[in-house]
Amino acid sequence: MTPVRLTLLLLPFLLLRAAPLAADPVRPAADPVAFARVTAASTDPAFRALRDHERAGLMAALRRVVGEGPLTDERLNAARQDAPLADQAWLAATGYDFKAATAEAQEAGIALLAPFRALPRETLDANLHRVEAINVAASPAEREQALYDAYGINHLFFLAEALGPRLGEAFLRAYEKGGIGKAAALIKASAISTGPAKRAFDYRRPFEVAGNRIQLVPDSIFVATGAPYKAAGGSFPSGHTNAGISDALLLAAMLPERYAALVARGAGYGYSRLVLGVHYPLDLIGARMIVERTLSRFLADPAYQVLFATARDQLRAALEQECGVALVVCARPAGPQSDPWAAPAAATFHAYTLTYGLARLESTDRPLPAPLAAAVLLAPLRPDLPVADLAEILRSTALPAGFPLGAAEAEGVAWQRLDLHRAAALLTH
């Protein structure tokens, strides 16, 4: 693409940034948290039917694995995708070395998040106060949704609502039949555990801090004893958020027609950890950074690309068959009530989750070096664009420098600054 054409592509974004109300992309004009509250309590018939199908599907899948005995935290957290949902035999037969990729990603993730150790007390205090505010103000519907997200970590049901009512129902039908088994297996295998990072940083969870205001959420749905939902181990970074965003981004790469909505849903999955009071905002931000870095490596690996293409093609064929029409038609937004994750309010919400309103540690206009390594994350949206052009779009839509965890550059890219939702919107509008 010529410089002139790239400038024309970027012009709407440049004009938006020049407007007074958009001068600070991390201070949205609308209340971003209201989106999560309204979406959780939605009474729209199409959206509720889709979400009810998600929840019923998850419970059936968990019961199939756990059996008819009492549901416990240990048994639920150990329940993985079984047949027919995921084609683990296919994935194993590919011989892809996930073990080596995991070790590299985990070590790199710890190095990437090293700035956490140097954060000032004021930032850490604000980190606690923000989760307290979200947790205390959460509605009953938000808390219920957060519990479904918590126990849905090992399955893909939660992603359906980001696809809209028509494609979302097709996704659930295909998933439950085993029609997207390759994609399901690959997506979950690509979510790298944050266990080593949690042990390395060894940071207490919000509800463990002396004098905290966290209100733990009683679980009357899964364990069904009314005991408060808790989480064990270190808090930083968030393992659930890591899995949720990884799942969402990989499905977005396979279904670019719903890219931005899926990116927003991944952010919403992380937000649910604040609702439950078991993580801080920086835990979620750190997890997102690790995911973006990890998936950029996977998607640039020729051997992984072969697996990805096979899984993507099976997924798209199965969804088109279930829809009965072309995917581009089936994926069209259905309006803000029935399809909230594709609505403008979701963009405001996503922008908030990039920083959660935490203050910048330095006021600087330091430019983001062209994030060439991250360009592969955008490539499914515009495979015709050169890597350099995609990197320029990421650079132009990125957050300012100086936010916690993003103050230092890593491998030429401050992953904390990337805004995939904003970049996707620029490419598709």
Side-chain angles (χ1 to χ4, degrees), residues 67 72 78 99 102 144 163 190 199 234 248 275 353 382 388 425:
T72 64
K99 184 176 181 180
T102 296
E144 181 181 63
L163 303 180
S190 304
R199 292 189 290 273
V275 170
T353 66
R382 288 292 302 274

Side-chain angles (χ1 to χ4, degrees), residues 1 5 14 22 45 62 91 101 126 146 190 203 220 228 246 259 263 281 312 318 335 347 367 403 418-419 423 426:
M1 178 177 288
R5 288 184 64 196
L14 296 174
L62 291 173
L91 190 62
S190 304
Y203 200 70
S220 57
S246 180
Y259 191 100
V263 169
R312 178 200 61 208
F403 283 100
L418 297 184
D419 185 346
L426 180 65

Side-chain angles (χ1 to χ4, degrees), residues 146-396:
L147 287 170
Y148 276 98
D149 279 357
Y151 287 113
I153 183 174
N154 295 320
H155 295 80
L156 301 180
F157 290 99
F158 77 98
L159 294 172
E161 66 194 61
L163 303 180
R166 188 173 187 180
L167 183 57
E169 287 288 355
F171 176 87
L172 291 174
R173 291 194 300 269
Y175 185 36
E176 291 169 330
K177 293 177 184 176
I180 60 171
K182 291 181 173 63
L186 182 64
I187 286 172
K188 293 310 301 183
S190 304
I192 302 301
S193 170
T194 58
K198 287 177 178 289
R199 292 189 290 273
F201 292 101
D202 192 26
Y203 200 70
R204 289 182 300 171
R205 292 181 183 267
F207 62 86
E208 297 173 328
V209 175
N212 74 81
R213 299 190 298 116
I214 296 296
Q215 298 176 4
L216 290 173
V217 176
D219 179 5
S220 57
I221 301 173
F222 289 88
V223 178
T225 62
Y229 176 87
K230 292 184 179 180
S235 191
F236 182 81
S238 168
H240 274 74
T241 304
N242 175 80
I245 293 180
S246 180
D247 295 349
L249 277 183
L250 275 177
L251 187 59
M254 295 180 184
L255 288 173
E257 296 88 349
R258 300 292 301 191
Y259 191 100
L262 283 161
V263 169
R265 182 63 181 97
Y269 189 93
Y271 180 85
S272 69
R273 306 305 285 167
L274 304 183
V275 170
L276 293 173
V278 297
H279 275 294
Y280 306 88
L282 286 175
D283 300 347
L284 280 51
I285 294 169
R288 175 175 58 81
M289 293 166 63
I290 289 177
V291 169
E292 290 172 349
R293 192 252 177 216
T294 299
L295 293 189
S296 72
R297 295 313 190 270
F298 273 136
L299 291 171
D301 175 10
Y304 185 91
Q305 289 171 1
V306 173
L307 275 62
F308 178 86
T310 300
R312 178 200 61 208
D313 292 350
Q314 183 200 50
L315 171 83
R316 293 181 66 84
L319 293 183
E320 192 159 276
Q321 181 176 0
E322 289 290 340
C323 287
V325 295
L327 273 184
V328 68
V329 175
C330 196
R332 284 175 183 162
Q337 302 304 317
S338 298
D339 197 359
W341 292 103
T348 301
F349 170 75
H350 179 270
Y352 175 71
T353 66
L354 294 178
T355 66
Y356 285 96
L358 297 176
R360 295 167 69 185
L361 300 181
E362 55 178 334
S363 296
T364 174
D365 293 327
R366 185 174 70 246
L368 179 70
L372 292 173
V376 67
L377 298 174
L378 274 188
L381 282 166
R382 288 292 302 274
D384 59 307
L385 289 183
V387 168
D389 290 350
L390 294 171
E392 175 58 20
I393 290 166
L394 285 171
R395 188 199 65 76
S396 300

